[in-house]
Amino acid sequence: MSIPMLRPLPNESWDCMLPGPPSRNNFGSADLSPSGLFAFASGSSVSVIDSRSLQLVTTIPLPPPSSSPSASSPSNSSNSLSPFVTSVRWTPQPLRRDLLSTEPSSSHLILAAGDRHGRISLLDLRLRSLVLSIDPPDPSSKPGIQDLCWVQARPDVFLLASLSGPSLLSLYNTSSSRCIFKYDSSPEYLSCIRRDPFDSRHLCIIGLKGFLLSIKVLGESEDDIAVKELQIRIDCTELLKLEKDAAAGGGSSSSTPASAVFPLYAVRLAFSPHWKHVIYVTFPRELVVFDLKYETTLFSAALPRGCAKFLDVLPDPNHELVYCAHLDGKLSIWRRKEGEQIHIMCTMEELMPSIGTSVPSPSVLSVLISQSESTLQNISKLYSDSSNGASDVDFDNPFDFCDDTPLVSKTHLISISDDGKLWSWILTAEGAGDMQKNAINSRKIADVSEESSNTNTKVSSNDELNAEGSRQLDNTRGSRNQQSNSTFGLADATFKICLVGQLQPLSSTVTMLAVPSPSLTATLARGGNNPAVAVPLVALGTQSGTIDVIDVSANAVAASFSVHNSTVRGLRWLGNSRLVSFSYTQVSEKTGGYINRLVVTCLRSGLNRTFRTLQKPERAPIRALRASSSGRYLLILFRDAPVEVWAMTKNPIMLRSLALPFTVLEWTLPTVPRPVQNGPSLQSVSSPKANIAAAPEEGASSTAASLSDSKAGSSDGLQDDTSESFTFALVNGALGVFEVHGRRIRDFRPKWPSSSFVSSDGLITAMAYRLPHVVMGDRSGNIRWWDVTTGHSSSFNTHREGIRRIKFSPVVAGDRSRGRIAVLFYDNTFSVFDLDSPEPLANSLLQPQFPGTLVLELDWLPLRTDKNDPLVLCIAGADSSFRLFEVNINDKKMLPGSQPRNVKERFRPMPLCCPVLLPIPHALALRMVLQLGVKPSWFNTLGTTIDKRPHFIPGSTSSSGDLRSYMIELPPVGDSVVPELLLKVLEPYRKEGCILDDERARLYATVVNKGCAARFAFAAATFGEVSEALFWLQLPRAINHLMNKLVNKSPKKAPKSAQNSELDDTSLLSRISSKGKSTSETRWRDALSQGQLRLMAFEQEDLWESANERIPWHEKLEGEEAIQNRIHELVSVGNLEGAVSLLLSTSPESPYFYPNALRAVALSSAVSRSLLELAVKVVAANMVRTDRSLSGIHLLCAVGRYQEACSQLQDAGCWTDAATLAAAHLKGSDYARVLQRWAEHVLYAEHNIWRALILFVAAGAIQEALAALREAQQPDTASMFILACREIHAEILTNLEGSDDESGSSIKDTLLDLPGLNPENEDVIAVGEYFGQYQRKLVHLCMDSQPFSD
């Protein structure tokens, strides 16, 4: 059952909530979006962090399941708790730009969350609310969610795949909330699900016993799902033993997911970002590299001795490194051996420093790699001017390192530990100096030889041009091959890991909550007569013994003090800068003695001072603490022992003990002091702002103690002119008020109520006291209150369980009511009542269930200054979260949530630079400004000392004058007025410095003048659109490829060897010297071989090298299927001799003997083809018709019919193989036809528009590329695409014109315009008009949208 929900949960609780620490119950669930937003689960909440600045963006608590019983009845409150969140996954949808057809949508900020009850929730980060809830088919079974993953079904439709229970895979269409496919793999335990980076329709699922499921989604119905089952053979002995233990202990059920049954037995899967069909799998004691195409294990390595079990596997996006997290908090780094699929462990690094952490050390729950950082590093590597590809070093930035050692790689990791901390790491690989120097020198020699060849050779015809190009290519390829492999530089690299940031949310389960409410007689800790102010701080005591101090204005932990070795059982403020807390430990159960530990913590110095230290254990443990509003007096309540009264001076003094059978004690504000202060102070005392002290720690329970004279006191009082009073209730129901004046304690003698207050049906369990009112609650749910000055009294029954806490709300001048109270019941629910109303129960705000959690403690935040300010409750939840909950007041009724008003901006220690969080029109405006090119000085803000930054440009940064002066040039497309309007809209963000952080601003300064494509790639990467960024990075190479094809249009025979087949296509590139904006081909080669750009490979050399690299991996594989695949690979790359040798080694008993012999004869006679061509072609046609193997295609290759072979391969769905075969044997228009058909498949079947665009451009089908962008409703990208193509084309022509040979000018004449991009072309004109409409709509939306206030 699914329920669409558009209602937000209580409003401000989104912005003002701190999550508790994550635990293994959350299954280590976390996800890092490509835009840099880090989401993780803690308890029943999902928190979102900006991964760069490590600031909390928001925390979203999941509401209780809709199918649970109504929570209005206290008995059902425990059934309506929100379950643990066990999986989170960001949507892969990019920022939508189809403004002309739809309204702006925040579909790119959707987060899927699964929980232990099997429910899947879709959360909208912008609305900060639940937008869709998908319940399990059978809610009573509660099949917990193990993992989630999005998979693409159509260009604009992603399905959500979930693993629930131990073995069920489900696919959901989130728009219709319908489950379209189910697959039960019992008795397997499914553990992990991942999407293929090469094909977003493809998923892989791994089970604990090595069961591997490959799923391909071809549409939105059940018939469109293709399933393949595979098996990785591993040793399951340990798992079988664990299964037996779990069955014996009753720890597993039919609905329990794998991570709940076996929390320390982790099996994880990751796709290789470099090699298609290759996956990495970690079992607890084994790392496996598996080939999905060969359906076999390529490599496996047992865990080295002394290493803890594997927790997760993370391939590096840019280098052939694999990082493995271990259960003990270590990270092992594995490098692929050159030329083989063998991985070697390089080193181990610590993710949990031994210094500064508690003992035992916290556990690492999950580790993730930042994809956005990797993409930006690719841009930096390709466009920066420094030798090692890093941008300018900033000595003040922890992300930069200034060292003589060349940097081979830099990877950003984030880890979570179960003490609630988030750790941000930079892992660097530094190359050996000599090796790197040789590589750089060889690169320089190659560049010099290339340049000298260009300047000294005159080329008179295309044939000579090709011949010269081949010589240059052979010269340079020798040096390139040394470093084209992505393992180059890593063999002798040294790895270093550096902690660059840490975020501390709540450290442990919350047990106590205390709010400072200093009275006007409380003075500052440093002395003097200045009254203490109410501070926006809340103190939380935790189970681990630490005290976390929360700054509610920043919604962050301001300080954390390690005070006790055991649970903090009581916590109170003394004024506004000191805390008093207690814990106790039982010596032994036999003797029954207790060691009570009382500590005063100074927030300013961080010092902890114990007091009341005894030499030996006591008979009674402390029950609660009560501190007076001034912080001068402290009552210590014991279990079955007299209450002690202490004066909290610098060295606390015990005044006396009171041996009455108290059940409850509560302080009030002190009586009006003598007129030693000025008027406003007296006035504010008469209408006090401050509350009573914070709530007691334990439910009141006491037995009668020996009575003593409570009014007697010592005559020598402290030097104090004020007195404070507290009210109490005794076991027999009697009430009283005592006044403490110096050392004297006397009866206050209040005006007693006319009717008896002795409770006949229950002990008084809670009290609140603010002159003149005393409010009491008992264990039967009755609330009574009386006025101590007039004796007026009243009571009502709440019809609920016993009352645990009563808290008066803060009052300010002009308040209509002073009798608002928050009441916490024993069933951990609460309500708000107004005692000044005629019918408190009728006008109450019943909040029986705070969204999805029980309330452990509550108190009011005493920061109201105006009667229109909302009342704010501080709540400590049972899920260890801390939340603020607003209660809005009007004259008729109190309401939860907030009414429209000016939002007070949250304080942040540094700006939150996350462009993807801006309102959608403003985000699109920033994207366009970055694309068109803005001067780096625009990022300078007056509030930051940024003049020393490398991107600083001297001059005024004020917004007065023409904002268009910030643009690097007038925009060549669209309306020239639009950029000024967009800059004006973005001005509030620029002033706050929250557009780009320093590091990204410096990178932008590096690339802004390197051409359109560089800027477009940067803008795409900034908004997390990795595929688009890679498209822009590859576009210059694709247009170069197209230009080469246009230059070499004369038809030629296909060359014999694979190397020679590529020479013509690279001849033009080798003639273009690297000057102006162009980037050297060497750097493009290195970057391509070293990471994400492999996803966009299209050139013949790249495809051929990639296929050649894989061949040695399979040499040791046995079995007929493996041999057939190896023959196919050898033929594809043109190695016919190797294929013949392998074919002739077939045993005569093999069923493949005759087809293999036939192929061997045909291939060996390939040199003299004239007689065989007709016969072999007929045989091949028959074999293709009757035989499911690839034999017929190989016969076509044997007689040179490569075009037909490629077509048949494409018909069979072997698209990459067809491209590899074409790269080895075809050229010119023949190769272009293969690329274009491949592009159409990638666009319409795989739904990968960016990869399809690159293939269209390389094939010369630019009009098809424009049509694809138009169909995708991306007017801005279509216009930018034309802009980039023209700029790159003009640059190539300029470089040709500048060359010394005679052919340059003739080529320039023939290539004046790119095919399909002629300015008079109708499609080009339509794109320009469409872009103009888009700009006008964007400007209107921007003007209508309010700036985002965090």
Side-chain angles (χ1 to χ4, degrees):
M1 190 177 84
S2 66
I3 300 137
M5 297 185 180
L6 296 175
R7 53 177 178 78
L9 297 174
N11 184 44
E12 291 302 316
S13 61
W14 292 127
D15 288 328
C16 306
M17 174 174 174
L18 277 177
S23 68
R24 292 208 184 278
N25 288 320
N26 295 113
F27 297 176
S29 53
D31 195 25
L32 186 52
S33 77
S35 57
L37 290 175
F38 180 74
F40 69 95
S42 56
S44 58
S45 307
V46 178
S47 298
V48 178
I49 307 285
D50 173 32
S51 64
R52 299 179 73 90
S53 63
L54 282 193
Q55 296 187 82
L56 181 66
V57 176
T58 189
T59 300
I60 304 177
L62 260 63
S66 55
S67 57
S68 62
S70 169
S72 57
S73 156
S75 61
N76 287 331
S77 63
S78 61
N79 296 328
S80 56
L81 296 183
S82 294
F84 284 104
V85 177
T86 54
S87 182
V88 293
R89 197 70 63 202
W90 287 106
T91 175
Q93 291 274 20
L95 177 66
R96 294 191 63 166
R97 305 197 282 283
D98 48 352
L99 295 182
L100 294 172
S101 57
T102 60
E103 285 302 307
S105 159
S106 56
S107 57
H108 61 294
L109 292 176
I110 296 293
L111 185 65
D115 62 35
R116 272 300 297 273
H117 287 180
R119 181 181 54 157
I120 297 172
S121 306
L122 294 193
L123 307 169
D124 187 321
L125 185 61
R126 183 168 307 288
L127 299 176
R128 294 175 181 178
S129 66
L130 184 70
V131 292
L132 181 72
S133 178
I134 302 174
D135 291 333
D138 179 14
S140 62
S141 65
K142 298 182 179 178
I145 301 291
Q146 170 72 19
D147 204 1
L148 295 171
C149 188
W150 296 89
V151 59
Q152 194 163 18
R154 286 208 323 258
D156 57 341
V157 173
F158 279 86
L159 304 178
L160 186 59
S162 78
L163 301 182
S164 56
S167 56
L168 183 65
L169 165 72
S170 306
L171 284 176
Y172 293 95
N173 185 325
T174 54
S175 57
S176 65
S177 311
R178 197 167 50 86
C179 178
I180 65 165
F181 177 77
K182 282 185 180 179
Y183 181 92
D184 193 342
S185 62
S186 301
E188 299 288 341
Y189 277 98
L190 300 182
S191 172
C192 175
I193 180 169
R194 293 292 181 265
R195 185 174 68 252
D196 189 343
F198 289 90
D199 186 353
S200 54
R201 304 168 301 159
H202 180 218
L203 293 173
C204 271
I205 298 111
I206 188 72
L208 295 186
K209 298 176 184 174
F211 175 74
L212 182 64
L213 201 57
S214 175
I215 304 279
K216 185 165 268 190
V217 177
L218 304 172
E220 294 182 73
S221 68
E222 188 172 359
D223 298 333
D224 297 326
I225 313 297
V227 180
K228 182 186 276 189
E229 294 183 4
L230 304 168
Q231 182 71 40
I232 302 176
R233 287 185 172 79
I234 56 154
D235 180 11
C236 297
T237 313
E238 183 184 357
L239 181 63
L240 294 172
K241 184 177 180 298
L242 290 172
E243 271 190 282
K244 198 177 291 182
D245 294 344
S252 64
S253 72
S254 59
S255 62
T256 311
S259 293
V261 185
F262 312 108
L264 299 178
Y265 194 95
V267 176
R268 294 290 182 269
L269 158 83
F271 280 90
S272 167
H274 309 287
W275 302 104
K276 195 169 184 178
H277 308 304
V278 172
I279 59 170
Y280 302 104
V281 184
T282 49
F283 298 94
R285 300 188 184 277
E286 193 173 4
L287 169 65
V288 174
V289 183
F290 190 84
D291 192 315
L292 294 168
K293 183 178 179 183
Y294 279 73
E295 303 180 7
T296 188
T297 299
L298 297 178
F299 166 79
S300 69
L303 194 64
R305 184 171 293 176
C307 293
K309 291 178 185 175
F310 287 119
L311 173 68
D312 206 348
V313 57
L314 307 160
D316 190 301
N318 282 350
H319 299 271
E320 292 219 51
L321 294 169
V322 178
Y323 309 116
C324 293
H326 297 257
L327 282 175
D328 62 351
K330 289 189 170 63
L331 185 80
S332 58
I333 301 167
W334 301 70
R335 169 182 63 81
R336 186 173 72 84
K337 195 174 176 183
E338 190 170 349
E340 300 177 76
Q341 193 52 264
I342 292 175
H343 287 73
I344 303 160
M345 191 166 86
C346 306
T347 184
M348 294 276 277
E349 297 288 351
E350 289 271 2
L351 289 178
M352 188 56 61
S354 52
I355 300 173
T357 54
S358 58
V359 178
S361 185
S363 300
V364 171
L365 296 177
S366 63
V367 186
L368 287 97
I369 283 185
S370 172
Q371 179 90 9
S372 60
E373 298 286 330
S374 302
T375 311
L376 288 170
Q377 278 178 41
N378 268 328
I379 298 169
S380 171
K381 194 185 302 178
L382 291 173
Y383 288 103
S384 71
D385 300 320
S386 55
S387 60
N388 63 359
S391 55
D392 297 320
V393 173
D394 175 15
F395 294 93
D396 294 335
N397 195 330
F399 283 85
D400 286 324
F401 302 92
C402 185
D403 198 351
D404 294 337
T405 316
L407 214 60
V408 178
S409 78
K410 190 166 83 166
T411 307
H412 184 203
L413 300 165
I414 291 186
S415 62
I416 307 178
S417 51
D418 62 1
D419 59 351
K421 288 190 176 76
L422 269 76
W423 312 70
S424 179
W425 306 91
I426 292 293
L427 179 65
T428 56
E430 295 174 354
D434 294 340
M435 174 191 69
Q436 201 79 354
K437 229 176 275 180
N438 292 339
I440 292 166
N441 289 340
S442 67
R443 185 186 301 177
K444 285 179 181 172
I445 290 165
D447 293 343
V448 169
S449 67
E450 187 175 315
E451 209 169 272
S452 61
S453 303
N454 285 335
T455 53
N456 296 332
T457 309
K458 287 195 173 183
V459 182
S460 58
S461 71
N462 279 349
D463 288 339
E464 290 178 15
L465 177 72
N466 294 336
E468 185 58 40
S470 71
R471 283 198 293 276
Q472 290 172 19
L473 192 67
D474 285 337
N475 288 339
T476 56
R477 186 176 285 160
S479 63
R480 277 182 198 159
N481 280 349
Q482 295 176 27
Q483 52 194 341
S484 67
N485 195 293
S486 61
T487 57
F488 171 79
L490 296 173
D492 301 312
T494 56
F495 292 89
K496 292 181 183 174
I497 195 163
C498 178
L499 180 64
V500 293
Q502 190 186 72
L503 178 66
Q504 168 71 77
L506 301 181
S507 57
S508 179
T509 305
V510 176
T511 55
M512 283 294 118
L513 178 146
V515 173
S517 304
S519 68
L520 292 172
T521 56
T523 55
L524 297 178
R526 59 178 178 270
N529 293 321
N530 297 320
V533 295
V535 288
L537 300 176
V538 176
L540 300 175
T542 66
Q543 211 167 49
S544 63
T546 59
I547 294 175
D548 294 333
V549 179
I550 311 299
D551 182 350
V552 294
S553 61
N555 195 32
V557 177
S560 190
F561 302 98
S562 184
V563 180
H564 299 273
N565 296 322
S566 59
T567 303
V568 178
R569 299 177 185 272
L571 180 64
R572 285 291 173 270
W573 286 86
L574 301 173
N576 66 2
S577 62
R578 291 191 304 160
L579 291 164
V580 59
S581 58
F582 83 89
S583 64
Y584 63 77
T585 51
Q586 191 169 4
V587 179
S588 69
E589 291 189 11
K590 287 183 180 178
T591 57
Y594 294 88
I595 297 175
N596 292 309
R597 178 177 162 83
L598 282 151
V599 183
V600 175
T601 303
C602 176
L603 265 62
R604 288 193 171 91
S605 66
L607 293 176
N608 296 316
R609 296 184 59 161
T610 57
F611 69 101
R612 197 185 174 278
T613 308
L614 303 179
Q615 298 298 321
K616 51 185 186 177
E618 299 178 75
R619 183 177 57 85
I622 298 176
R623 178 159 62 94
L625 299 178
R626 294 289 179 269
S628 67
S629 298
S630 68
R632 297 176 182 220
Y633 301 109
L634 180 71
L635 300 176
I636 305 175
L637 285 73
F638 292 86
R639 196 181 299 161
D640 305 333
V643 171
E644 295 182 2
V645 185
W646 285 70
M648 298 308 290
T649 53
K650 185 176 181 182
N651 295 305
I653 305 164
M654 179 175 156
L655 302 181
R656 61 165 304 158
S657 64
L658 304 174
L660 289 170
F662 297 109
T663 60
V664 189
L665 290 164
E666 290 294 346
W667 289 94
T668 184
L669 289 174
T671 54
V672 179
R674 293 175 186 173
V676 291
Q677 297 175 328
N678 54 17
S681 296
L682 291 174
Q683 183 184 354
S684 47
V685 167
S686 62
S687 60
K689 282 169 64 176
N691 288 4
I692 56 168
E697 287 74 16
E698 302 282 340
S701 62
S702 92
T703 56
S706 60
L707 291 173
S708 63
D709 182 8
S710 62
K711 298 178 187 176
S714 174
S715 58
D716 52 340
L718 298 171
Q719 299 300 313
D720 188 43
D721 290 331
T722 60
S723 62
E724 297 183 76
S725 58
F726 63 88
T727 183
F728 61 84
L730 301 180
V731 174
N732 61 2
L735 308 174
V737 181
F738 283 168
E739 190 176 62
V740 183
H741 187 83
R743 290 190 175 218
R744 292 168 54 210
I745 298 177
R746 61 189 179 199
D747 195 338
F748 182 68
R749 301 196 183 281
K751 177 84 172 177
W752 296 105
S754 52
S755 58
S756 171
F757 255 41
V758 176
S759 175
S760 59
D761 52 357
L763 285 172
I764 290 176
T765 53
M767 298 182 82
Y769 183 22
R770 181 169 65 200
L771 284 172
H773 295 107
V774 174
V775 184
M776 290 146 292
D778 62 28
R779 62 184 178 189
S780 302
N782 298 304
I783 290 180
R784 302 174 173 83
W785 71 99
W786 59 291
D787 187 320
V788 295
T789 55
T790 65
H792 295 161
S793 63
S794 184
S795 65
F796 68 93
N797 192 299
T798 60
H799 306 292
R800 304 285 295 283
E801 286 188 13
I803 293 167
R804 194 150 64 93
R805 299 279 184 274
I806 301 175
K807 297 292 176 184
F808 270 116
S809 69
V811 292
V812 295
D815 257 344
R816 181 186 60 80
S817 168
R818 297 191 182 191
R820 296 188 193 95
I821 55 170
V823 177
L824 178 64
F825 299 97
Y826 272 112
D827 63 358
N828 295 102
T829 61
F830 74 91
S831 297
V832 179
F833 301 98
D834 187 352
L835 301 181
D836 285 353
S837 66
E839 296 182 22
L841 197 60
N843 292 325
S844 66
L845 165 63
L846 291 174
Q847 183 64 27
Q849 185 60 53
F850 195 71
T853 187
L854 298 176
V855 177
L856 289 184
E857 292 289 347
L858 57 74
D859 206 343
W860 298 96
L861 193 67
L863 296 180
R864 286 182 74 216
T865 55
D866 185 82
K867 66 176 182 178
N868 296 318
D869 287 349
L871 292 165
V872 180
L873 268 173
C874 305
I875 287 176
D879 60 351
S880 294
S881 64
F882 168 75
R883 318 185 191 197
L884 297 186
F885 175 69
E886 290 192 8
V887 179
N888 287 280
I889 312 142
N890 59 31
D891 287 336
K892 294 181 180 176
K893 195 167 183 181
M894 293 176 289
L895 300 168
S898 66
Q899 304 299 321
R901 65 174 194 284
N902 292 328
V903 179
K904 186 181 287 186
E905 189 173 352
R906 180 190 300 173
F907 168 77
R908 286 197 181 275
M910 61 190 293
L912 184 66
C913 300
C914 199
V916 77
L917 290 177
L918 300 181
I920 293 158
H922 297 173
L924 291 171
L926 175 59
R927 183 187 163 91
M928 189 178 290
V929 164
L930 293 175
Q931 287 176 325
L932 294 176
V934 65
K935 292 175 183 173
S937 61
W938 185 63
F939 298 108
N940 297 338
T941 53
L942 298 174
T944 340
T945 55
I946 217 165
D947 53 330
K948 62 187 178 68
R949 302 294 184 200
H951 66 264
F952 177 74
I953 294 178
S956 169
T957 58
S958 71
S959 57
S960 59
D962 189 356
L963 287 171
R964 278 180 293 181
S965 62
Y966 278 124
M967 303 302 291
I968 58 171
E969 59 186 0
L970 283 176
V973 291
D975 193 334
S976 60
V977 180
V978 167
E980 182 179 14
L981 296 172
L982 299 183
L983 287 172
K984 199 170 185 178
V985 166
L986 295 171
E987 190 64 14
Y989 304 108
R990 189 192 75 82
K991 284 181 177 175
E992 291 295 324
C994 58
I995 289 182
L996 292 182
D997 57 81
D998 288 349
E999 190 185 11
R1000 280 187 290 185
R1002 282 185 289 113
L1003 176 56
Y1004 186 73
T1006 307
V1007 305
V1008 69
N1009 292 312
K1010 298 288 175 69
C1012 291
R1015 294 197 302 273
F1016 299 169
F1018 178 89
T1022 299
F1023 284 89
E1025 293 166 33
V1026 176
S1027 293
E1028 185 187 344
L1030 299 180
F1031 161 74
W1032 294 117
L1033 291 179
Q1034 282 285 66
L1035 186 61
R1037 299 183 72 223
I1039 293 179
N1040 276 328
H1041 178 88
L1042 172 61
M1043 297 285 285
N1044 283 325
K1045 190 187 81 173
L1046 295 174
V1047 168
N1048 305 316
K1049 268 200 168 176
S1050 55
K1052 293 183 176 59
K1053 286 284 180 186
K1056 291 180 185 177
S1057 75
Q1059 286 194 355
N1060 291 335
S1061 71
E1062 305 159 86
L1063 303 185
D1064 294 344
D1065 282 354
T1066 51
S1067 58
L1068 182 59
L1069 276 176
S1070 62
R1071 294 174 60 242
I1072 296 172
S1073 58
S1074 176
K1075 58 184 179 181
K1077 296 178 184 176
S1078 70
T1079 311
S1080 73
E1081 175 69 8
T1082 304
R1083 191 177 291 162
W1084 287 102
R1085 280 272 173 247
D1086 293 345
L1088 177 73
S1089 65
Q1090 295 235 350
Q1092 297 171 317
L1093 288 173
R1094 280 190 186 178
L1095 290 168
M1096 297 278 177
F1098 65 89
E1099 285 206 69
Q1100 289 163 296
E1101 184 178 349
D1102 301 332
L1103 292 167
W1104 186 82
E1105 281 184 359
S1106 178
N1108 241 11
E1109 176 84 9
R1110 301 175 77 114
I1111 289 174
W1113 304 353
H1114 309 131
E1115 285 176 353
K1116 295 180 181 176
L1117 298 179
E1118 297 177 353
E1120 292 295 349
E1121 288 294 334
I1123 288 174
Q1124 297 303 315
N1125 281 323
R1126 286 177 57 202
I1127 294 167
H1128 178 56
E1129 283 185 330
L1130 290 166
V1131 174
S1132 294
V1133 299
N1135 187 354
L1136 301 186
E1137 294 85 352
V1140 169
S1141 171
L1142 198 56
L1143 286 164
L1144 292 177
S1145 66
T1146 310
S1147 166
E1149 290 81 20
S1150 168
Y1152 289 91
F1153 178 74
Y1154 293 104
N1156 284 2
L1158 177 60
R1159 281 184 288 167
V1161 172
L1163 290 169
S1164 61
S1165 61
V1167 181
S1168 55
R1169 306 175 186 179
S1170 53
L1171 293 175
L1172 291 172
E1173 185 168 342
L1174 184 60
V1176 168
K1177 188 176 177 183
V1178 172
V1179 172
N1182 289 330
M1183 292 183 77
V1184 168
R1185 192 177 305 116
T1186 58
D1187 188 3
R1188 292 177 61 193
S1189 72
L1190 299 167
S1191 309
I1193 290 161
H1194 303 158
L1195 292 178
L1196 288 171
C1197 293
V1199 293
R1201 312 292 288 203
Y1202 297 110
Q1203 186 77 55
E1204 292 176 32
C1206 288
S1207 297
Q1208 290 193 4
L1209 274 173
Q1210 290 182 327
D1211 291 340
C1214 304
W1215 296 93
T1216 310
D1217 295 337
T1220 305
L1221 185 64
H1225 299 287
L1226 299 178
K1227 52 186 284 189
S1229 57
D1230 292 340
Y1231 182 59
R1233 276 196 292 274
V1234 175
L1235 284 185
Q1236 184 166 345
R1237 192 176 173 202
W1238 189 16
E1240 289 165 358
H1241 166 77
V1242 169
L1243 179 64
Y1244 297 113
E1246 295 185 8
H1247 317 302
N1248 189 335
I1249 183 172
W1250 303 110
R1251 194 163 171 226
L1253 289 176
I1254 276 292
L1255 295 172
F1256 276 134
V1257 172
I1262 290 181
Q1263 281 185 295
E1264 283 78 0
L1266 278 177
L1269 284 169
R1270 197 164 55 243
E1271 282 179 30
Q1273 297 186 322
Q1274 299 206 9
D1276 58 330
T1277 309
S1279 187
M1280 300 301 169
F1281 171 71
I1282 293 174
L1283 196 62
C1285 288
R1286 284 178 177 162
E1287 185 187 83
I1288 296 163
H1289 175 253
E1291 182 190 337
I1292 292 172
L1293 293 183
T1294 305
N1295 286 324
L1296 279 172
E1297 199 174 30
S1299 61
D1300 293 340
D1301 50 51
E1302 295 172 357
S1303 63
S1305 57
S1306 62
I1307 293 171
K1308 184 175 185 293
D1309 293 339
T1310 58
L1311 301 178
L1312 204 55
D1313 280 312
L1314 275 173
L1317 289 188
N1318 191 304
E1320 285 78 35
N1321 187 302
E1322 288 182 6
D1323 288 340
V1324 174
I1325 294 169
V1327 165
E1329 291 173 354
Y1330 196 29
F1331 181 61
Q1333 293 175 29
Y1334 170 82
Q1335 280 191 315
R1336 287 190 288 277
K1337 178 75 180 283
L1338 177 60
V1339 168
H1340 284 301
L1341 288 171
C1342 284
M1343 296 302 181
D1344 294 341
S1345 183
Q1346 288 293 317
F1348 169 67
S1349 175
D1350 176 38

